[in-house]
Amino acid sequence: MGVNREDPNEQGAGDQGLMFGYACDETPELMPLPILMAHKMMMRMKYVREEEELDYLRPDGKCQVTVEYNQRKPIKVTTVVLSSHHKDGISRDRLEEDLRELVIKKVIPEKYLDKDTEYKINPTGRFVKGGPHGDCGLTGRKIIVDTYGGVGSHGGGCFSGKDPSKVDRSASYMARYIAKNIVAAGLAKRCEVQIAYAIGVAQPVSILIDTQRTARCEPEKIDALIRDPEVFDLRPRKIIEYLDLIRPIYTKTACFGHFGRSDRDFTWEKTDKANFLRKECGL
């Protein structure tokens, strides 16, 4: 009842809730460094498995990176936690050396590693049973690794398994798109966008832009631009149309996160509004 409307432009939100998007300038992808490195390590682990550099690896795995910051700037990696599903009979020493040399050090720039960096590789010592065989239950899991690794906020709704009529997914993508364009335009060094919806209502009930005291133009100007429907129309149907979300593109989001990737199907990663925003703010 909430989603179906005679006027499709007034399609209501599939549920109530808060959706967040985030961007920062500490990486070229405008993502927080720790989650970006974790995603890239998982991509690298997939590569060495499929290319048979480490033919004993199996498809399951996970990663976590802890980074020390000083004055909001990343200065070093303090801990890398990396677990990989593997064939039975592989020694822990071999696994640790291979993953440290062929995965971790191939992804993390040397300037972030030192003698004090801790490597916790398969901390339990064994990871032979993986996937749904080892852990059943999929819906709603791992929402923080899908987003920004704990940097920025998360409204609680998962993305995967939902079509874009659910604003948990589509509005979170739009919020990332807005935040990324704000940072790409140089309007701020960091930006978090919060959008709130009521079930069955097309227009958001709340929009909040937080540049965390890094704005280079008047925050009121940024806020007015984001609220202008001629710039960003935040009705669910318009989000779906603008980001072209009714396509079979979502399998690729099942791993390696939903943000910070250059895949052309990830339309929410475009920065095509950056020049317009920069001009409007007089930068």
Side-chain angles (χ1 to χ4, degrees):
M1 291 173 61
V3 170
N4 294 323
R5 290 284 187 264
E6 288 186 16
D7 180 358
N9 289 329
E10 295 306 312
Q11 172 180 320
D15 204 349
Q16 70 179 48
L18 302 174
M19 291 80 215
F20 291 90
Y22 182 81
C24 60
D25 67 354
E26 63 190 59
T27 63
E29 295 86 353
L30 304 185
M31 286 286 286
L33 182 63
I35 191 67
L36 190 69
M37 289 193 295
H39 286 160
K40 287 186 175 181
M41 267 189 276
M42 296 312 299
M43 292 177 185
R44 174 69 184 172
M45 197 149 69
K46 177 177 184 283
Y47 174 83
V48 297
R49 175 176 60 84
E50 292 184 344
E51 295 300 313
E52 298 186 350
E53 290 185 31
L54 299 177
D55 61 359
Y56 59 81
L57 296 184
R58 296 296 179 261
D60 203 353
K62 51 191 175 181
C63 181
Q64 181 173 293
V65 181
T66 304
V67 174
E68 181 180 333
Y69 283 71
N70 186 4
Q71 300 294 320
R72 290 276 194 168
K73 295 184 182 297
I75 58 172
K76 63 177 290 188
V77 171
T78 60
T79 309
V80 178
V81 183
L82 183 62
S83 296
S84 180
H85 187 197
H86 59 85
K87 184 174 70 174
D88 201 2
I90 301 300
S91 73
R92 185 170 186 176
D93 287 345
R94 179 184 175 187
L95 185 73
E96 287 188 3
E97 181 179 357
D98 284 349
L99 292 184
R100 187 167 53 248
E101 297 301 320
L102 295 179
V103 176
I104 296 172
K105 292 186 177 180
K106 293 292 185 180
V107 170
I108 301 179
E110 189 176 351
K111 66 179 180 179
Y112 291 121
L113 302 173
D114 63 21
K115 61 181 178 59
D116 296 321
T117 303
E118 291 189 65
Y119 303 96
K120 299 186 183 298
I121 298 171
N122 280 29
T124 63
R126 180 177 168 85
F127 187 179
V128 172
K129 185 182 291 186
H133 190 208
D135 288 290
C136 65
L138 299 174
T139 301
R141 298 180 66 189
K142 310 299 186 187
I143 57 177
I144 295 304
V145 78
D146 277 347
T147 54
Y148 311 102
V151 178
S153 305
H154 196 292
C158 69
F159 301 159
S160 294
K162 295 177 180 176
D163 72 85
S165 73
K166 297 294 188 290
V167 285
D168 281 343
R169 182 168 218 157
S170 53
S172 294
Y173 289 175
M174 191 64 173
R176 162 65 177 174
Y177 174 72
I178 294 169
K180 187 173 183 181
N181 275 271
I182 287 172
V183 175
L187 275 56
K189 295 176 70 64
R190 295 184 295 278
C191 182
E192 182 174 89
V193 176
Q194 180 201 94
I195 311 171
Y197 290 88
I199 187 169
V201 179
Q203 293 288 355
V205 298
S206 173
I207 303 169
L208 177 65
I209 312 297
D210 182 7
T211 55
Q212 302 176 0
R213 299 183 180 181
T214 66
R216 294 182 58 217
C217 69
E218 295 178 6
E220 294 79 8
K221 179 65 174 177
I222 299 175
D223 188 71
L225 282 168
I226 304 316
R227 292 174 182 274
D228 184 348
E230 295 297 318
V231 182
F232 298 106
D233 194 329
L234 299 179
R235 291 176 292 175
R237 171 53 57 179
K238 292 301 181 180
I239 292 174
I240 289 168
E241 291 175 355
Y242 187 75
L243 297 180
D244 196 13
L245 296 179
I246 303 181
R247 293 177 295 139
I249 59 176
Y250 298 108
T251 298
K252 289 182 282 190
T253 67
C255 54
F256 314 134
H258 295 238
F259 307 126
R261 296 166 63 177
S262 58
D263 192 300
R264 66 181 182 179
D265 284 333
F266 288 43
T267 51
W268 50 91
E269 291 296 305
K270 296 185 298 184
T271 54
D272 55 327
K273 289 279 190 183
N275 287 336
F276 171 80
L277 295 175
R278 189 181 302 113
K279 182 179 178 181
E280 290 295 305
C281 285
L283 297 180

